[in-house]
Amino acid sequence: MPTKLIAVLIAVSEDRPMVLTLEGGRVLPSGPLEAGHRSLQTGLRLWVERQTGHALGHVEQLYTFADAPDTDATDERSVLISYLALTRIHSGEHGWRNWYDYFPWEDQTTPDGRALVARIAAQLGDWARAAPPALGTARHQRIALTFGLEGLGWDDELVLQRYELLWEAGLVPESSPPAGATVRGQDMAGDGRRILATAMARLRAKIRYRPVIFELMPDSFTLLQLQRTVEAVAGQAMHKQNFRRLITQQDLVEETADLAPDTRGRPARLFRFRREVIGARRIAGSKLPLTRPV
């Protein structure tokens, strides 16, 4: 059974979380596992860097599933292994798309994103009420938990659960069959959006206890740029002073001698992450202030 590696390459550009795509944004990059590869991760790194020119930072496996044949039962199935990989965008590159193009309800930093969740909740409420009483009650509870309704609070890590609930309700184009009125968001071929949702959830969870966010940063940056990058990935706004206090307390960054160019008002100091601290944090973990939107 052949093995195919699927890469979810994530970068942040101009405070937007970006994913590398092909075929007009409908397909994630993929390539075969070759006989000469010592490991799956080595194979992924080699073909991604060869085909895209990207040197990958943090890489981790997401999940594995079997790809059903497109035609008859005699066709050979494939094992699909998906990976999350962090990188940086080079100037002039094509194929990068804002991941909120695919999941606009996941951006809770904007009024539009919050209003979309309210509209989705209304559609899901109709879906729950259309079911028999016991099933309708169970659906109502899932909706409240997954979308943070009734005072439960928004959990930014439930990206896949929200997408799968919308799929079950027929509210995304990939649903079979889709409902008459689906929610906004660009679709992807096959399980593309499901794989991307898994990667988003994994990265949102990861930045809470591992310093992988620095893989997405330039060599030097302002604290505001760091905060906006974290907010972009998490889809939630954070309290400025709380964020800076926690970053300072953990000694994750150190000042450089330089100031940020082209800033209005008082020039902002540039920082860099402390490599020796980051190395230790990969083992011990770190906590970023992502628990409360503002």
Side-chain angles (χ1 to χ4, degrees):
M1 184 180 293
T3 299
K4 181 184 293 185
L5 308 178
I6 300 176
V8 186
L9 269 65
I10 301 296
V12 174
S13 176
E14 299 179 352
D15 303 330
R16 296 178 299 168
M18 311 293 284
V19 56
L20 184 61
T21 66
L22 304 172
E23 298 183 17
R26 299 198 69 247
V27 175
L28 295 169
S30 64
L33 176 66
E34 299 175 0
H37 294 160
R38 299 192 310 274
S39 67
L40 294 174
Q41 191 175 119
T42 298
L44 179 85
R45 286 183 180 275
L46 287 174
W47 71 255
V48 167
E49 293 176 10
R50 182 172 64 244
Q51 294 180 16
T52 70
H54 281 281
L56 302 183
H58 176 83
V59 175
E60 65 179 84
Q61 186 174 334
L62 292 172
Y63 72 95
T64 303
F65 59 97
D67 183 30
D70 292 330
T71 54
D72 58 47
T74 62
D75 287 350
E76 192 171 20
R77 296 171 66 91
S78 299
V79 174
L80 305 182
I81 305 177
S82 57
Y83 279 83
L84 166 66
L86 306 183
T87 187
R88 299 174 188 174
I89 298 177
H90 306 312
S91 60
E93 289 185 332
H94 302 286
W96 289 96
R97 303 293 293 266
N98 188 334
W99 76 20
Y100 294 124
D101 289 348
Y102 302 94
F103 302 96
W105 54 87
E106 291 296 331
D107 186 1
Q108 291 297 290
T109 66
T110 67
D112 287 346
R114 294 189 289 271
L116 181 56
V117 166
R119 293 195 295 273
I120 289 172
Q123 290 176 281
L124 288 172
D126 293 339
W127 174 67
R129 285 186 290 272
L135 178 57
T137 298
R139 285 179 174 179
H140 179 81
Q141 292 172 342
R142 285 179 60 202
I143 295 165
L145 177 63
T146 306
F147 281 88
L149 309 177
E150 301 178 4
L152 293 176
W154 179 267
D155 187 339
D156 62 285
E157 295 180 33
L158 298 181
V159 187
L160 180 60
Q161 289 87 337
R162 282 187 282 271
Y163 172 73
E164 290 185 332
L165 186 58
L166 292 171
W167 185 93
E168 185 178 340
L171 294 179
V172 290
E174 298 95 326
S175 300
S176 181
T182 57
V183 298
R184 292 190 299 125
Q186 180 173 328
D187 63 327
M188 299 184 88
D191 281 324
R193 265 217 287 189
R194 187 167 183 263
I195 295 171
L196 177 55
T198 304
M200 291 170 62
R202 181 73 62 84
L203 183 55
R204 285 177 168 185
K206 206 80 173 178
I207 61 176
R208 280 183 163 83
Y209 61 91
R210 289 289 185 270
V212 295
I213 197 69
F214 295 100
E215 302 281 5
L216 302 171
M217 301 298 299
D219 293 334
S220 59
F221 47 83
T222 67
L223 292 182
L224 180 59
Q225 288 173 328
L226 177 59
Q227 178 177 338
R228 286 178 173 171
T229 298
V230 175
E231 289 176 332
V233 171
Q236 296 190 76
M238 285 162 285
H239 188 277
K240 178 179 177 180
Q241 295 306 320
N242 288 347
F243 179 87
R244 296 192 175 196
R245 185 181 305 113
L246 194 50
I247 292 296
T248 302
Q249 288 174 349
Q250 295 189 84
D251 288 330
L252 292 175
V253 298
E254 60 187 7
E255 287 190 8
T256 72
D258 301 321
L259 299 176
D262 302 325
T263 57
R264 298 179 180 179
R266 183 180 177 181
R269 177 68 60 185
L270 288 174
F271 289 76
R272 58 175 173 246
F273 67 87
R274 298 178 59 200
R275 293 189 179 276
E276 66 277 13
V277 172
I278 295 302
R281 287 293 192 269
R282 291 189 191 280
I283 301 173
S286 62
K287 177 175 172 56
L288 291 180
L290 300 179
T291 55
R292 293 288 184 272
V294 297

